[in-house]
Amino acid sequence: MSNTAKEQILDFVRGRYPQAEIDETQDIFALGFVNSLFAMELVMFVEKTFGVTIPNEELKIDNFRTANAMAELVARLSPTLAVA
Amino acid sequence: MTLIATAPPRVVDRRSARAFVDTHVVPYADDYDRSGRVPEDLLRQVAAAGLWAPFLPPESGGAGMDLVTLGEVHEEVGRGCSSLRSLLTVHTMVAWTVQRWGTPAQRERWAPALAAGDALGAFCLSEPGAGSDTAGITTTAAARGDGWVLNGVKKWTTGGQRADLFLVFARTATSIGAFLVPREAPGVEVRPIDDMLGTRASMLAEISFRDVALGPDALLGPSGFTAGMVLTGTLDLGRYSVAAGSVGIVQACLEASAAYAAERRVGGKALAELPLIQAKLSDMVTDARAARLLLAEAGRLKDAGESGTLMATWIAKYFASTAAVRHAAEAVQIHGANGCSPDYPVARLYRDAKVMEIIEGSNEIQRITIAGQAERETTS
Ligand SMILES: Cc1cc2nc3c(=O)[nH]c(=O)nc-3n(C[C@H](O)[C@H](O)[C@H](O)COP(=O)(O)OP(=O)(O)OC[C@H]3O[C@@H](n4cnc5c(N)ncnc54)[C@H](O)[C@@H]3O)c2cc1C
């Protein structure tokens, strides 16, 4: 399931930036893609897709740099989802 | 018995909003415009109708209204008076932000007062030297002890003359943070800005913050990079409300113009029979409907928690605000000299519409943002 979360997140990022080749370890901030509009879209996407609410203290850049990091965040917030 | 008879009806949907606006707003909107304020009496009626923050959940004092309905309600208010709608917009931004990003303690302290209209909220981002370029703000919040010290000047604060609670965006050591600042905090000074072109009754102010000491509970939402998200989210809802208000302006232009065209005669014919006038009216009807649909789509995506709502809201606001300007100009045209006089509402609609192209992301910023989407989705 955590794999699936990672893939869904990657799909979302790639869907918004189809011209770029992005893998799960790539720092999308370092690539210069993230403006505030996209950051907000990303958070909304994660919350909606995985049925979680990201608390303020988890809204840190390191949790959003890569698809891996975001998938780990989802797993932390929703352990049952990660195990299922 | 008397209680029930005199309790003003709550606004729960478009229909009740329409009734409220037709009774309490439409007949007086030109007076508000002339006097440069929305009277306290109306602010109390808005509170009695539950209009300040009906989208808050019941435990925070709201009615749990969905955002599609909220859009319809703000359209109706905007049809009556853009100044009142502006006050509602900034208050909505503050209330929503407290609900979305606030800690339980912040919510408990502010949400019920905001829902009841006991505390009116205002939104402070723009400064004398920074508008579109939000990264250019110079107001600072410096950490001191376990709290903050705020310094800077905010300009063009809608409702600032009247608001009790300011949502202030300020530079911190790491990013831009959002701060809740009560009006009575020592060091807060409010100077009215009068005689604006449009939304003349929205009681703008310039607000200085001089060494304003705030507790740790003044910071709303995360600090660090994601603090920008509070701003993005707050502006998104403000933009949605302005889009709704712009649809309301188009609708008001349509209603005023259709009524005038039916009654005014030139060369023995009603204006409404002239093809050039019909062309104007048909475009108003079509754009009102198109703008309303774009707004409803943005609202539907909001209610579903879909990230696509952000761009949908930009597009709805761009379309609706430019349509409002176009049709307000035509509404004045249809009214001829009467349209330039204070005897008809179209002069006010014309001035108010122009403001819609400037606030919550100006036309140019709208276009840059919307084009950004096209670019990133198509270039290879
Ligand atoms: C009636 C009214 C109420 C308001 N209420 C509030 C409020 O409650 N709170 C608040 O914080 N602010 C408020 N504002 C301020 C409003 O948000 C700003 O006016 C708006 O953001 C534009 O900023 P500016 O006026 O500084 O224009 P500037 O940023 O100086 O821009 C000037 C012009 O240049 C254009 N421009 C800017 N950047 C670019 C670019 N990159 N490319 C091409 N063109 C560009 C703009 O679109 C604009 O036409 C209000 C303004 C008005 C008129």
Side-chain angles (χ1 to χ4, degrees):
Chain A
M1 189 62 197
S2 59
N3 255 341
T4 314
K6 183 162 62 192
E7 271 152 29
Q8 282 177 272
I9 292 165
L10 262 183
D11 275 356
F12 179 75
V13 177
R14 286 174 177 152
R16 309 301 261 109
Y17 295 95
Q19 75 279 22
E21 280 164 28
I22 301 168
D23 68 31
E24 66 263 35
T25 63
Q26 224 146 17
D27 184 336
I28 56 176
F29 287 82
L31 291 173
F33 288 160
V34 182
N35 58 20
S36 60
L37 176 62
F38 182 61
M40 184 83 192
E41 286 174 339
L42 206 50
V43 169
M44 289 184 76
F45 171 78
V46 168
E47 290 192 338
K48 160 92 181 167
T49 308
F50 306 106
V52 296
T53 302
I54 304 172
N56 287 348
E57 62 274 16
E58 291 281 16
L59 285 169
K60 294 184 296 219
I61 189 164
D62 288 339
N63 283 336
F64 293 86
R65 280 187 192 284
T66 65
N68 273 341
M70 284 184 261
E72 280 161 26
L73 171 67
V74 169
R76 267 204 307 287
L77 293 176
S78 179
T80 48
L81 193 71
V83 173
Chain B
M1 202 56 193
T2 12
L3 240 178
I4 294 167
T6 53
R10 306 289 281 184
V11 168
V12 294
D13 56 8
R14 180 192 290 282
R15 197 201 228 304
S16 41
R18 183 162 259 269
F20 178 89
V21 170
D22 284 339
T23 308
H24 297 291
V25 182
V26 169
Y28 315 106
D30 285 325
D31 293 340
Y32 307 154
D33 187 62
R34 271 190 283 277
S35 64
R37 38 195 328 110
V38 170
E40 286 301 309
D41 206 32
L42 178 59
L43 299 179
R44 274 192 296 273
Q45 276 154 352
V46 169
L51 256 171
W52 284 116
F55 53 88
L56 289 176
E59 61 270 24
S60 291
M65 181 183 280
D66 62 76
L67 292 179
V68 167
T69 306
L70 188 77
E72 293 171 354
V73 168
H74 283 204
E75 180 198 325
E76 290 299 330
V77 175
R79 177 178 61 82
C81 174
S82 291
S83 292
L84 176 62
R85 200 269 312 134
S86 293
L87 297 180
L88 204 50
T89 297
V90 292
H91 184 85
T92 294
M93 294 163 86
V94 176
W96 179 87
T97 304
V98 166
Q99 180 66 31
R100 173 69 175 82
W101 301 98
T103 61
Q106 285 169 329
R107 275 206 296 274
E108 216 164 283
R109 174 162 180 211
W110 292 113
L114 290 164
D118 293 337
L120 292 195
F123 166 79
C124 303
L125 174 65
S126 304
E127 298 182 357
S132 310
D133 176 23
T134 56
I137 64 168
T138 59
T139 296
T140 56
R144 190 172 74 188
D146 61 355
W148 305 88
V149 180
L150 192 66
N151 273 292
V153 177
K154 294 295 180 179
K155 205 168 177 183
W156 317 119
T157 306
T158 294
Q161 293 179 33
R162 177 59 181 74
D164 308 291
L165 179 65
F166 300 114
L167 177 63
V168 181
F169 288 83
R171 199 165 278 296
T172 65
T174 52
S175 65
I176 289 175
F179 294 86
L180 289 169
V181 185
R183 183 200 192 94
E184 70 267 19
V188 175
E189 195 191 316
V190 175
R191 277 183 301 279
I193 304 174
D194 291 319
D195 258 337
M196 296 295 286
L197 170 75
T199 57
R200 289 173 60 84
S202 63
M203 299 184 274
L204 261 58
E206 174 176 296
I207 304 172
S208 331
F209 303 94
R210 204 166 302 131
D211 291 326
V212 177
L214 302 168
D217 58 343
L219 177 68
L220 186 65
S223 57
F225 106 99
T226 38
M229 238 176 274
V230 179
L231 180 56
T232 306
T234 307
L235 284 170
D236 174 62
L237 197 60
R239 200 168 285 133
Y240 180 66
S241 173
V242 170
S246 300
V247 180
I249 292 176
V250 180
Q251 182 66 31
C253 289
L254 170 59
E255 290 174 15
S257 299
Y260 190 80
E263 148 222 314
R264 174 79 178 177
R265 303 184 75 78
V266 289
K269 275 189 177 169
L271 281 181
E273 293 172 47
L274 307 176
L276 285 172
I277 302 296
Q278 289 170 341
K280 296 184 202 298
L281 292 175
S282 70
D283 287 358
M284 286 184 197
V285 170
T286 308
D287 281 350
R289 196 175 277 211
R292 193 171 288 125
L293 282 172
L294 287 173
L295 182 78
E297 172 72 350
R300 188 186 66 72
L301 292 168
K302 282 190 200 314
D303 285 327
E306 294 277 358
S307 63
T309 188
L310 294 166
M311 188 49 70
T313 302
W314 280 99
I315 292 168
K317 195 268 180 179
Y318 177 57
F319 186 85
S321 62
T322 52
V325 167
R326 215 159 43 241
H327 295 307
E330 293 291 37
V332 172
Q333 196 72 19
I334 289 170
H335 283 68
N338 279 330
C340 303
S341 79
D343 303 334
Y344 289 82
V346 291
R348 170 173 53 86
L349 296 170
Y350 180 68
R351 291 183 283 99
D352 288 349
K354 186 63 215 173
V355 172
M356 302 309 123
E357 288 193 326
I358 293 170
I359 55 173
E360 305 289 350
S362 67
N363 255 355
E364 288 71 22
I365 302 300
Q366 305 278 329
R367 288 177 137 164
I368 291 168
T369 307
I370 296 167
Q373 160 128 330
E375 227 166 89
R376 107 189 143 181
E377 286 185 354
T378 55
T379 50
S380 55

